[in-house]
Amino acid sequence: MFVLAVSFVTSTTDYFLDQKIDHFNPLDSRKFQQLYYVNDTYYQQGGPVFLVINGEAGMPDLYQEYGYPLELAQTHNALVISLEHRYYGTSLPFGEDSFSTENLQYLNTDQALADLAQFRHHIFQKYNFDSTTKVFGFGCSYSGVLSAWFRTKYPHLIDGAFSGSSPVLSTTDFTSYNELVESRLPTECVDSIGSAVTEINNLLETIDGRNQLQRMFNTCQELALPFDVQMFKFSIIGGIQYIVQYNNPPDFPQISTCDAMNAATDKLAEFIRQFAYPNGSCLLLDPSRWYGESRSWYYQKATEFGFFKNSPPNSKIFFEGVDADFHKALIERVFGQPFYPDVDYTNTYYGGKDVNWSNIIFTNGINEPWSLLSITDTSLNSDTVVVVDYDDAGHCAPYHYYNDKMPPGVLNARKKIDDFITKITSN
């Protein structure tokens, strides 16, 4: 699957950029060390710069998974550069104290986009590039949002962008996410998972049942209080969401998981095998102990995006009670303060879906939930905007390293991306 992973990692050099903690306060001169990578394996004089934009994970993890930019660099003679997102990986403005609520105030998309602007300026100085050097950005999921917004907010710094599976519209009520997940699973699979969910709900009704679930799911805390029960429900549905969102080649987990659930006699036991935490780690139900990337990403959701996957009514596979009130309580427990994202401001500031996009290609798997908040309307196709939908894989599928199980829709999207880069960088 990871055809070029070894050569990419070993030929990539890491550096650190002195980055401002607050780009918008001229009286604040504090800086932090922000990790960035440069890969010049395929670069030739006059070639473009491929800016790989990072999201809510450390940069090395992303490079092991998303390799299409490097594959494209071979044929486009591109220099590949990438900046780690602030508050992820090693790029921590306040070291181990970065995740306190007070220090997280500098974690937002405005600061992240300004980081990219300074990084682009730094690279052009470092390599003595002139204004004729083309820059093309890449991002998928949250980083795809940043890719589209960077092109929109800083069009003089980036000539074109790929934005894959990118939820450019923010919302606090993303119930439709779970509704789409349930609708995309085959009926027999929904019934199989639903049998396990019903059994869990029944066990939650009694003390003995909750004690049994604590042992079966290896929870870190007791299921003692109503909020603990809601956290338990919230925590164990992620696996169900995953198999639809990431139904990608070569494994296509939705198929294998549904086959296993359908074949099992003991549905709850199989549910635990498929969706519970592996390798003996316990299931954390105390959100005040969230640390690192989990805390950073939830802060971004709680302050800007929402993206709260609330329980749909009358669902067979999603538990009741994961709703706005739950997320408000969760935010207060995680950060010690009661606040809630102003998504109307976010959508007004960045435009949501109603933006005059230019020089951007959007790709989406229309059978995966994040497409609901992305740009999927192919009638927007023009000389400067390309919208490509595929129905044979899931989230970010074209962005992965090539594998021979990639279906036709994904291969078509990859070809469209390649063609679009040629058009943008050859002008």
Side-chain angles (χ1 to χ4, degrees):
M1 177 180 178
F2 303 125
V3 179
L4 296 172
V6 174
S7 63
F8 193 13
V9 172
T10 56
S11 60
T12 298
T13 304
D14 57 323
Y15 303 93
F16 287 92
L17 176 64
D18 283 334
Q19 190 70 269
K20 290 193 69 175
I21 288 178
D22 187 354
H23 292 283
F24 306 105
N25 182 359
L27 302 181
D28 189 344
S29 61
R30 294 174 300 171
K31 294 185 178 181
F32 71 102
Q33 294 284 287
Q34 192 167 19
L35 177 67
Y36 72 90
Y37 282 175
V38 174
N39 188 305
D40 61 1
T41 304
Y42 307 110
Y43 178 68
Q44 293 184 20
Q45 188 71 27
V49 174
F50 283 178
L51 171 60
V52 177
I53 296 173
N54 283 264
E56 70 280 23
M59 191 157 50
D61 294 336
L62 293 171
Y63 272 141
Q64 291 295 332
E65 186 171 2
Y66 299 122
Y68 196 37
L70 186 70
E71 294 173 347
L72 289 167
Q74 298 182 56
T75 54
H76 290 273
N77 305 322
L79 179 74
V80 181
I81 62 172
S82 191
L83 180 71
E84 189 168 64
H85 197 297
R86 57 171 56 205
Y87 288 87
Y88 294 96
T90 61
S91 299
L92 305 178
F94 302 97
E96 294 302 308
D97 294 329
S98 296
F99 307 107
S100 71
T101 302
E102 179 183 1
N103 286 337
L104 283 169
Q105 67 180 293
Y106 304 102
L107 172 57
N108 57 62
T109 48
D110 252 3
Q111 298 284 1
L113 293 172
D115 287 344
L116 290 171
Q118 292 300 315
F119 177 51
R120 192 268 194 196
H121 174 71
H122 171 77
I123 290 295
F124 266 57
Q125 283 194 324
K126 180 182 178 76
Y127 287 90
N128 197 29
F129 291 141
D130 61 29
S131 60
T132 64
T133 301
K134 299 291 185 178
V135 179
F136 193 90
F138 293 84
C140 202
S141 194
Y142 165 54
S143 69
V145 175
L146 292 179
S147 181
W149 288 352
F150 190 50
R151 166 62 194 167
T152 303
K153 293 293 185 181
Y154 295 87
H156 57 295
L157 298 182
I158 182 170
D159 299 282
F162 159 69
S163 179
S165 301
S166 49
V168 294
L169 180 68
S170 296
T171 178
T172 53
D173 183 7
F174 200 10
T175 305
S176 56
Y177 180 105
N178 289 331
E179 291 174 336
L180 188 143
V181 166
E182 191 160 355
S183 72
R184 293 303 187 266
L185 290 171
T187 301
E188 185 181 3
C189 188
V190 170
D191 290 341
S192 296
I193 295 173
S195 294
V197 168
T198 297
E199 191 171 351
I200 292 169
N201 276 324
N202 290 337
L203 289 170
L204 286 170
E205 293 297 318
T206 67
I207 294 175
D208 287 344
R210 291 194 293 273
N211 289 337
Q212 185 178 346
L213 288 171
Q214 289 168 197
R215 294 190 297 271
M216 296 172 78
F217 284 88
N218 190 26
T219 63
C220 304
Q221 292 85 33
E222 294 181 355
L223 293 170
L225 302 174
F227 183 82
D228 301 329
V229 172
Q230 293 304 96
M231 271 300 297
F232 174 73
K233 294 176 179 179
F234 172 70
S235 300
I236 66 174
I237 61 175
I240 303 172
Q241 296 163 338
Y242 177 93
I243 63 172
V244 174
Q245 177 174 321
Y246 290 106
N247 191 35
N248 287 335
D251 299 326
F252 292 104
Q254 179 179 315
I255 297 172
S256 58
T257 300
C258 283
D259 286 347
M261 286 298 305
N262 294 339
T265 302
D266 187 335
K267 302 299 186 185
L268 179 54
E270 188 60 36
F271 182 98
I272 292 169
R273 278 193 288 271
Q274 293 294 329
F275 303 125
Y277 281 51
N279 304 322
S281 58
C282 64
L283 179 61
L284 182 63
L285 303 180
D286 179 3
S288 67
R289 291 170 54 187
W290 282 0
Y291 184 76
E293 293 170 359
S294 296
R295 190 174 170 90
S296 292
W297 179 234
Y298 199 72
Y299 180 82
Q300 291 194 260
K301 291 169 65 176
T303 53
E304 291 189 273
F305 307 126
F307 297 155
F308 300 140
K309 304 166 189 172
N310 295 332
S311 300
N314 305 314
S315 172
K316 288 185 177 181
I317 63 175
F318 292 108
F319 301 97
E320 293 182 353
V322 180
D323 54 18
D325 288 339
F326 166 75
H327 280 285
K328 288 175 182 177
L330 178 54
I331 289 169
E332 186 165 5
R333 287 177 183 248
V334 174
F335 302 110
Q337 298 178 23
F339 53 85
Y340 206 59
D342 185 353
V343 296
D344 288 340
Y345 173 81
T346 303
N347 290 328
T348 299
Y349 183 70
Y350 288 109
K353 291 187 179 185
D354 300 321
V355 176
N356 186 21
W357 309 107
S358 70
N359 289 8
I360 302 175
I361 180 168
F362 296 94
T363 68
N364 280 281
I366 58 174
N367 290 321
E368 74 94 1
W370 292 105
S371 66
L372 299 170
L373 303 180
S374 187
I375 305 298
T376 58
D377 183 1
T378 56
S379 70
L380 295 174
N381 279 317
S382 67
D383 289 340
T384 62
V385 176
V386 176
V387 179
V388 184
D389 299 336
Y390 52 90
D391 63 2
D392 47 13
H395 198 63
C396 295
Y399 201 35
H400 288 256
Y401 287 96
Y402 172 79
N403 67 77
D404 60 10
K405 301 295 184 183
M406 284 183 169
V410 174
L411 294 175
N412 174 63
R414 288 163 64 92
K415 178 64 165 58
K416 296 285 189 181
I417 296 167
D418 192 359
D419 292 344
F420 189 71
I421 293 171
T422 299
K423 177 182 177 180
I424 296 297
T425 60
S426 62
N427 290 341

